[in-house]
Amino acid sequence: DALHAALKARDPSAGAFALEEAPGVGTAANPWFALAPEDAPENPLVAFVNPRSGGRLGPVLKSRLQELIGEDQVFDITVVKPSAFVEYGLGCLEQLADSGDHSARSVRNNLRVMVAGGDGTVGWVLGCLGELYVQNRGPVPPVAVIPLGTGNDLSRSFGWGASFPFSWKAAAKRSLYKAILGTVSCLDSWHIVVSMPEEGEEQELDLPHSLRHLGECTFYDDGTAEGELSETVCCFDGVFYNYFSIGMDAQVAYGFHQLRDEKPFLASGPLSNKLIYAGYTCKQGWFFTQCISDPELRGLTNIIRLSIKKMDSSEWEHIPVPSSVRAIVALNLHNYASGRNPWGNLKPEYLEKKGFVEAQSDDGLLEIFGLKQGWHASLVMVELISAKHIAQAAAIRLEIKGGQWRDAYMQMDGEPWKQPLSTEYSTFVDIKRVPYPSMIISGADR
């Protein structure tokens, strides 16, 4: 009750009434104060459900979770934002714990979070919980996943499966058991900052939830910039956990998301979503690049300059972008585009020849690869060949020079946006590892 009061009032202190009396006790002392720690809730759990994910399954799954763990512990993520839960809900528990409430302290210290949604939803919640590190408000609750998205690559990587099964009522109960009993794993997270020239009329950017506007800021060029730098720069930032990409794959994802917003009845489930994705891949020119002279459909080397920092190095190194590449992906996990492994399982001899190391989810490195025409991407997606290996990096800087390009399509963890480009000045994308890990509960535990 106190937590919900704090969320409703947007004030952590709004739950202070719990210190004075408990339901049915009247003005007597709060019985939670007298409880020994072992009498407090053993497995406190809250769930966030994205009703837009999983076709029609989101709302009914929310009702099922409310039946299983209680209505007050299940939140519609479009109503109660994860950032509000961290600031006001967890803040309320912390204030109660500091006042001597043993139950509030136990719940805060042992809380786990279940997220029902796609990779973008999971990343959104992880990013908001990560703010607890910044504010020195540990411990940070670990996150479990019910996969309701299209690709569900984060879910696959930690044993939560490729999609939610048809027997979802029983599966929901099993997922809750795994969420409270599963072991916790660490995951690298990556901070991204986009610095764009601020020109005349401000363009309205429709950004994913996982990105936030920082307003006007200062861009420091340390010798990597090749194009013109604007005197005034507007920035936004965010955190991703699986991948960032720029190019044709992000353009296809953007088209799908636009259609889903305009005609949600078409995106009724993972299978129909994948069919729509396939249609956009053909429609937007990936397979017919050589027949078209429009410069917007040519390789990314025309507009992108790629610089990286290797592990234990403070110097930027320029990496040439192959002329045939039309999408560049920086990948953290082994899963991309519904469970594919485009980086591949590379032989030790090849790794040594290229100066690479074996890819891990917590090695502090991103694998950078390219996708060429649609035919090449198709063979990569069925894992007959590997993608075009470009580099492994501990930090990345992309300089994007507009020229004849008016926009560049970008996405992170399946959440795309259309980035406007300047014809005169460069736009920069900087990626570096967050200095603290994200906590994911393993769904593979029995």
Side-chain angles (χ1 to χ4, degrees):
D1 289 341
L3 188 147
H4 275 267
L7 287 171
K8 185 176 181 180
R10 302 181 67 83
D11 179 4
S13 62
F17 64 85
L19 297 172
E20 300 168 5
E21 59 180 74
V25 180
T27 57
N30 189 335
W32 294 115
F33 278 73
L35 283 179
E38 58 267 20
D39 294 325
E42 292 182 14
N43 304 114
L45 181 73
V46 297
F48 285 94
V49 180
N50 188 345
R52 296 174 59 195
S53 299
R56 301 181 182 88
L57 190 56
V60 293
L61 178 61
K62 176 188 170 187
S63 298
R64 173 61 174 162
L65 292 175
Q66 288 176 332
E67 291 175 9
L68 292 170
I69 63 174
E71 186 172 342
D72 290 338
Q73 291 171 238
V74 182
F75 300 100
D76 182 330
I77 204 167
T78 62
V79 178
V80 177
K81 303 291 191 291
S83 56
F85 177 79
V86 168
E87 183 175 356
Y88 307 117
L90 295 185
C92 173
L93 290 177
E94 290 161 3
Q95 289 189 8
L96 293 176
D98 291 342
S99 300
D101 190 322
H102 299 303
S103 177
R105 178 175 289 108
S106 177
V107 169
R108 175 64 185 89
N109 290 342
N110 297 298
L111 184 67
R112 294 188 171 201
V113 178
M114 171 70 82
V115 181
D119 286 347
T121 306
V122 177
W124 183 14
V125 174
L126 284 171
C128 293
L129 292 173
E131 288 297 308
L132 293 169
Y133 281 113
V134 179
Q135 300 165 12
N136 197 25
R137 292 171 56 197
V140 176
V143 170
V145 183
I146 292 180
L148 296 184
T150 303
N152 298 314
D153 293 305
L154 266 172
S155 173
R156 296 168 193 265
S157 298
F158 290 92
W160 292 99
S163 61
F164 209 50
F166 288 108
S167 56
W168 57 270
K169 286 191 175 183
K173 194 169 186 178
R174 289 196 300 271
S175 295
L176 291 175
Y177 276 118
K178 290 180 179 181
I180 61 177
L181 300 175
T183 58
V184 178
S185 303
C186 293
L187 167 68
D188 280 343
S189 50
W190 297 86
H191 183 228
I192 179 171
V193 179
V194 180
S195 306
M196 55 184 288
E198 200 169 36
E199 299 182 311
E201 298 180 3
E202 186 177 345
Q203 288 184 274
E204 190 67 30
L205 270 175
D206 184 16
L207 296 175
H209 290 296
S210 49
L211 292 170
R212 60 179 180 179
H213 284 280
L214 298 178
E216 188 176 318
C217 57
T218 304
F219 177 78
Y220 296 99
D221 175 30
D222 46 9
T224 62
E226 189 177 62
E228 292 291 325
L229 299 177
S230 173
E231 293 183 4
T232 308
V233 175
C234 180
C235 299
F236 55 89
D237 77 336
V239 177
F240 69 90
Y241 302 87
N242 189 13
Y243 67 90
F244 165 83
S245 73
I246 177 172
M248 185 58 74
D249 71 323
Q251 183 174 353
V252 171
Y254 182 81
F256 166 77
H257 278 251
Q258 291 293 105
L259 179 67
R260 186 180 69 174
D261 290 341
E262 294 170 5
K263 301 177 180 179
F265 58 89
L266 292 178
S268 57
L271 180 58
S272 61
N273 292 352
K274 289 173 183 176
L275 290 174
I276 295 171
Y277 261 106
Y280 268 103
T281 302
C282 297
K283 176 184 175 183
Q284 297 188 359
W286 206 337
F287 286 88
F288 304 104
T289 308
Q290 304 304 323
C291 306
I292 300 174
S293 59
D294 188 341
E296 288 197 359
L297 296 178
R298 294 178 184 168
L300 289 176
T301 189
N302 296 321
I303 65 164
I304 281 184
R305 177 179 171 85
L306 170 63
S307 301
I308 69 167
K309 286 182 181 179
K310 293 185 176 179
M311 184 67 81
D312 300 323
S313 174
S314 59
E315 299 296 322
W316 288 106
E317 177 183 341
H318 172 61
I319 303 294
V321 176
S323 59
S324 57
V325 164
R326 300 187 60 208
I328 294 176
V329 183
L331 184 65
N332 186 37
L333 303 175
H334 294 295
N335 287 298
Y336 167 81
S338 299
R340 277 67 176 183
N341 182 11
W343 186 256
N345 297 309
L346 307 183
K347 296 181 179 179
E349 311 85 63
Y350 181 84
L351 291 171
E352 185 177 358
K353 177 183 175 182
K354 289 286 191 178
F356 296 156
V357 297
E358 186 177 352
Q360 302 291 340
S361 63
D362 57 354
D363 58 6
L365 291 171
L366 290 170
E367 284 67 52
I368 307 172
F369 62 86
L371 299 173
K372 304 177 185 179
Q373 292 81 18
W375 312 110
H376 172 256
S378 298
L379 293 174
V380 171
M381 291 302 105
V382 296
E383 300 186 354
L384 290 177
I385 60 174
S386 296
K388 180 70 176 177
H389 300 130
I390 297 176
Q392 282 183 315
I396 300 172
R397 171 169 288 178
L398 294 170
E399 179 183 359
I400 309 166
K401 299 163 287 186
Q404 298 181 65
W405 290 56
R406 296 182 298 274
D407 304 290
Y409 292 88
M410 305 181 186
Q411 65 170 333
M412 47 188 247
D413 290 347
E415 298 293 320
W417 74 96
K418 184 164 68 172
Q419 178 65 44
L421 299 179
S422 167
T423 56
E424 185 178 358
Y425 301 111
S426 294
T427 296
F428 292 87
V429 177
D430 285 286
I431 300 172
K432 66 178 181 179
R433 182 173 174 267
V434 175
Y436 46 79
S438 295
M439 313 305 290
I440 298 278
I441 300 168
S442 173
D445 295 341
R446 296 295 181 184

